[in-house]
């Protein structure tokens, strides 16, 4: 089975889409933030952004065996540090800045953390990182402003999975 990351700026709906996709397909949803906590992959604390700093190497080492099995949905705000061989397709969720601003404010984001995440979306930082880290033909941008769009995105991904299964029957 293929594996895919759901990536995008915080607040774009990655976790909701990943959960819905896992329920619909049976693929295993890997919430990278939870894995990092569970496996002790967090280092120092960043006072400016009010979050722990991820030890990427330790996380990748811990995920290697899981990812080699295939059939994973990897939920994280960035994907550029994951090995390209782990993914068959990459989905980057995008959200209108005014909607994203409200979502992040509701989560308690403020100051530099709020501003930088909005800037990240404005400048398509996550999308550009994905495009520079993976083959361009496997990176797909999905609009995620409403629940209907999230549902449409899940359906599109399910169609892609069905096509992937047909194309890879003999491998």
């Amino acid at each position: 089975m293929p594996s895919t990351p759901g990536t995008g700026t915080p607040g774009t709906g990655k976790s909701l889409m990943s959960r819905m996709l896992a329920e619909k397909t049976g693929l295993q949803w890997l919430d990278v933030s939870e894995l990092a906590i569970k496996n002790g992959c967090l280092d120092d604390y960043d006072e400016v952004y009010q979050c722990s700093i991820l030890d990427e190497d330790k996380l990748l080492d811990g995920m290697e065996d899981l990812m080699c099995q295939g059939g994973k949905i990897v939920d994280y705000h960035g994907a550029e540090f994951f090995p390209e061989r782990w993914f068959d397709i990459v989905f980057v969720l995008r959200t209108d800045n005014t909607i994203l601003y409200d979502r992040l404010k509701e989560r308690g984001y403020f100051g530099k953390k709020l501003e930088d995440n909005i800037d990240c979306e404005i400048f398509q930082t996550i999308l550009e990182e994905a495009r520079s880290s993976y083959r361009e033909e496997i990176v797909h941008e999905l609009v995620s402003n409403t629940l209907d769009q999230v549902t449409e995105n899940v359906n599109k991904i399910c169609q892609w999975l069905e096509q992937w299964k047909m194309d890879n029957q003999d491998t």
Side-chain angles (χ1 to χ4, degrees):
M1 278 299 277
S3 290
T4 180
T7 188
T9 305
T12 55
K14 297 176 301 297
S15 295
L16 175 61
M17 186 194 76
S18 295
R19 180 178 48 79
M20 291 171 64
L21 190 57
E23 288 171 0
K24 193 166 183 172
T25 64
L27 295 176
Q28 183 181 4
W29 170 25
L30 301 178
D31 181 328
V32 171
S33 296
E34 286 182 13
L35 281 174
I37 293 167
K38 180 181 167 187
N39 296 319
C41 300
L42 300 176
D43 285 338
D44 297 329
Y45 190 79
D46 186 321
E47 294 294 335
V48 174
Y49 290 104
Q50 299 181 344
C51 64
S52 297
I53 299 169
L54 178 65
D55 180 336
E56 294 174 0
D57 291 333
K58 187 173 184 179
L59 176 75
L60 294 174
D61 289 346
M63 290 178 66
E64 182 69 36
D65 289 341
L66 280 172
M67 294 306 296
C68 287
Q69 299 166 13
K72 305 295 185 273
I73 302 162
V74 177
D75 172 2
Y76 195 60
H77 63 267
E80 77 284 351
F81 66 91
F82 295 116
E84 184 175 6
R85 63 184 157 71
W86 282 4
F87 304 121
D88 300 286
I89 194 163
V90 176
F91 296 103
V92 180
L93 301 186
R94 303 291 315 282
T95 298
D96 178 88
N97 296 324
T98 56
I99 294 169
L100 184 62
Y101 182 89
D102 292 342
R103 289 179 186 172
L104 293 177
K105 286 288 280 186
E106 286 176 21
R107 290 182 177 191
Y109 284 44
F110 61 92
K112 183 166 177 55
K113 185 174 185 175
L114 176 62
E115 291 171 22
D116 285 357
N117 277 289
I118 295 298
D119 286 348
C120 183
E121 189 67 9
I122 290 169
F123 295 113
Q124 303 182 60
T125 304
I126 306 297
L127 180 61
E128 293 305 319
E129 286 175 352
R131 287 179 174 158
S132 67
S133 300
Y134 303 98
R135 295 182 325 276
E136 192 166 338
E137 65 270 13
I138 72 167
V139 177
H140 299 274
E141 179 180 0
L142 300 174
V143 177
S144 182
N145 293 323
T146 67
L147 185 55
D148 285 344
Q149 287 174 327
V150 173
T151 301
E152 289 172 24
N153 292 337
V154 168
N155 291 335
K156 285 179 196 175
I157 295 169
C158 287
Q159 290 172 354
W160 177 85
L161 286 169
E162 288 306 313
Q163 185 63 52
W164 184 92
K165 287 178 195 176
M166 287 190 295
D167 293 346
N168 292 279
Q169 288 179 40
D170 300 326
T171 56

